[in-house]
Amino acid sequence: MDETSFDAIITINAKGLVQSFNPAAERLFGYSEGEVVGRNVKMLMPTHFRTEHDKYIANYLQTGEKRIIGIGRVVTGEKKGGAIFPIELSVGESRIDGAQVFVGFIRDLTEIQSEQRRVQELQRELFHVSRLGEMGQVVSGLAHEVNQPLAAIMNYLQVARNMVDGKQGEIAPIGDVLEKATAQTKRAADIVKRLRAFIDRRETERRQENLATLIDEALALGIVGQVGQATHVRLQLTAGLPRVNVDRVQIQQVIVNLLRNAVDAMEHQKNRELTISSAMDGADLVHVSVSDIGPGISPEIADKLFGAFVTTKEEGMGVGLSICKAIVENHGGRIWFTPNDGGGTTFHFTIPIEEPATATAAR
Ligand code: ADP
């Protein structure tokens, strides 16, 4: 048995008494070889298996029925001190000096099990994300409700305008005020309309979309109330870009995510600048970038940034960029980031256009 063995290896005789206990087994179970050799291997099992084990061996020797030999199973072991931990156990049979021995190969599953827990966590978080989708539905319903009173307000305003129309004297300026009120109400109705279109889950198929419109809408809706007066937003959209075949809602989710990250990154600084650009990248890719003048990406997370649950924010879930990556790659594009010369970060993504630029540009 080699001293550097990765697996713990334990041999026992037909009575279940330990014959050898390698260094990996010592590390795994916390016993020294001397503490175990000559004793029944049951001592390495949780109590409820101990009584069974003698029966297992006896049964096998009598009937040849294999329950674990050559099969391998996931079971629990018990360390010195009583801690129970998951192991993968496979057992082989051999003869040493004419005597029958069983050789147990044991792999610690603690890590692997925690990876599974990670998977479960991942699923939970994704459910949370889809609950956010459900929230979208609630907002959609709410928008519908708000639409009706807005329409009523528009009507009343129209009536009032008719009443003061052509009137002279003190009452005359009211017409002007009513007109402004109408314009604002219409604006509110437009926002609600776009909000509904934005989150409406029925519109999740791919269509030929104008990227500029899509970016503009994402900007308007995605960072409502977040940007404030303090952030200077610059739009550098190249005119006449070909349309792209995308799921609008999903691509807007990507943009909104990038915008929010940029806004978050600049939260603690006085000067905040956000630049959103779109341009051709070669003949068949449209390139979108979102640039900030924040502190940049922390080096410790830079290389795993697009993985799930990577976050430096107290309230962050760390799934934003991993969702962005999934969406962009689903569309046949790529997402990455570059540090800015003067500080800050630029996130880039590309979306392939399906037809040559000249064929679609005119539409
Ligand atoms: P979350 O926003 O929940 O943290 P994300 O996946 O959106 O999850 O982002 C992961 C992490 O990447 C953020 O916590 C932040 O540390 C970093 N990050 C993303 N965008 C920027 C940016 N523009 N500037 C600096 N750090 C950023």
Side-chain angles (χ1 to χ4, degrees):
M1 309 283 151
D2 102 36
E3 300 280 303
T4 58
S5 170
F6 172 72
D7 277 347
I9 300 170
I10 303 168
T11 54
I12 61 171
N13 67 12
K15 290 201 174 97
L17 302 180
V18 176
Q19 310 291 293
S20 76
F21 198 70
N22 78 340
E26 289 184 318
R27 278 196 297 277
L28 194 57
F29 287 93
Y31 291 107
S32 70
E33 190 182 17
E35 285 176 292
V36 183
V37 167
R39 293 181 61 188
N40 195 304
V41 73
K42 297 191 283 198
M43 68 183 283
L44 305 174
M45 302 169 193
T47 319
H48 57 280
F49 293 120
R50 290 184 188 170
T51 44
E52 298 298 313
H53 194 256
D54 291 337
K55 283 192 241 160
Y56 278 154
I57 301 182
N59 184 59
Y60 171 67
L61 291 175
Q62 221 175 10
T63 65
E65 184 197 338
K66 294 181 179 174
R67 297 216 195 142
I68 189 158
I69 293 167
I71 301 168
R73 276 171 50 192
V74 174
V75 296
T76 46
E78 187 174 308
K79 287 182 202 266
K80 184 176 185 176
I84 290 172
F85 66 111
I87 57 181
E88 190 182 345
L89 172 67
S90 33
V91 179
E93 235 183 321
S94 179
R95 286 196 172 267
I96 294 177
D97 300 332
Q100 185 166 28
V101 293
F102 299 104
V103 187
F105 300 89
I106 294 157
R107 174 161 296 167
D108 185 1
L109 289 185
T110 314
E111 284 299 304
I112 296 170
Q113 295 261 313
S114 73
E115 268 168 34
Q116 278 171 358
R117 267 202 297 282
R118 198 90 191 106
V119 169
Q120 281 164 10
E121 267 168 40
L122 196 109
Q123 283 166 339
R124 260 202 300 280
E125 295 288 4
L126 287 181
F127 286 145
H128 181 69
V129 174
S130 65
R131 271 206 299 281
L132 295 182
E134 286 164 21
M135 256 165 63
Q137 301 259 348
V138 174
V139 175
S140 176
L142 202 69
H144 180 71
E145 295 298 319
V146 170
N147 245 346
Q148 291 171 351
L150 282 177
I153 292 169
M154 292 278 274
N155 285 338
Y156 287 129
L157 288 171
Q158 190 57 47
V159 172
R161 278 171 72 187
N162 290 344
M163 287 165 75
V164 298
D165 208 22
K167 293 270 172 15
Q168 303 296 323
E170 260 179 49
I171 216 170
I174 293 178
D176 206 31
V177 176
L178 288 175
E179 201 167 315
K180 285 188 177 131
T182 308
Q184 291 302 315
T185 311
K186 190 169 175 313
R187 199 173 138 217
D190 278 347
I191 291 174
V192 168
K193 203 166 113 199
R194 280 192 292 160
L195 183 66
R196 288 193 66 197
F198 180 59
I199 53 183
D200 198 335
R201 300 205 126 217
R202 278 168 299 183
E203 293 184 44
T204 49
E205 342 79 73
R206 292 192 189 180
R207 300 216 184 97
Q208 292 286 324
E209 299 280 3
N210 180 333
L211 206 56
T213 315
L214 194 148
I215 291 172
D216 194 35
E217 202 175 48
L219 179 65
L221 295 166
I223 55 176
V224 167
Q226 285 215 13
V227 166
Q229 303 272 307
T231 308
H232 182 70
V233 180
R234 226 178 306 164
L235 268 179
Q236 293 178 341
L237 307 179
T238 305
L241 286 180
R243 287 173 179 255
V244 280
N245 191 34
V246 295
D247 182 321
R248 185 171 56 89
V249 176
Q250 288 190 344
I251 295 299
Q252 285 184 329
Q253 262 175 27
V254 172
I255 297 165
V256 167
N257 258 318
L258 297 181
L259 292 174
R260 293 215 165 131
N261 278 346
V263 169
D264 285 349
M266 298 186 290
E267 190 184 14
H268 301 295
Q269 60 198 54
K270 209 161 138 264
N271 291 328
R272 302 175 200 169
E273 243 180 75
L274 195 62
T275 309
I276 307 160
S277 321
S278 68
M280 283 306 288
D281 179 349
D284 43 22
L285 291 175
V286 180
H287 180 149
V288 177
S289 62
V290 174
S291 193
D292 64 62
I293 55 164
I297 306 290
S298 346
E300 47 305 348
I301 60 164
D303 56 352
K304 47 179 193 225
L305 204 61
F306 292 97
F309 310 121
V310 178
T311 185
T312 54
K313 299 170 196 170
E314 237 167 78
E315 303 282 320
M317 252 197 323
V319 294
L321 288 174
S322 69
I323 291 175
C324 289
K325 183 168 157 38
I327 292 175
V328 169
E329 289 180 353
N330 234 332
H331 281 80
R334 206 164 70 79
I335 185 165
W336 72 100
F337 68 90
T338 52
N340 295 336
D341 281 343
T345 315
T346 302
F347 277 85
H348 311 258
F349 70 89
T350 53
I351 300 288
I353 53 169
E354 289 188 339
E355 297 151 87
T358 47
T360 47
R363 271 197 232 158

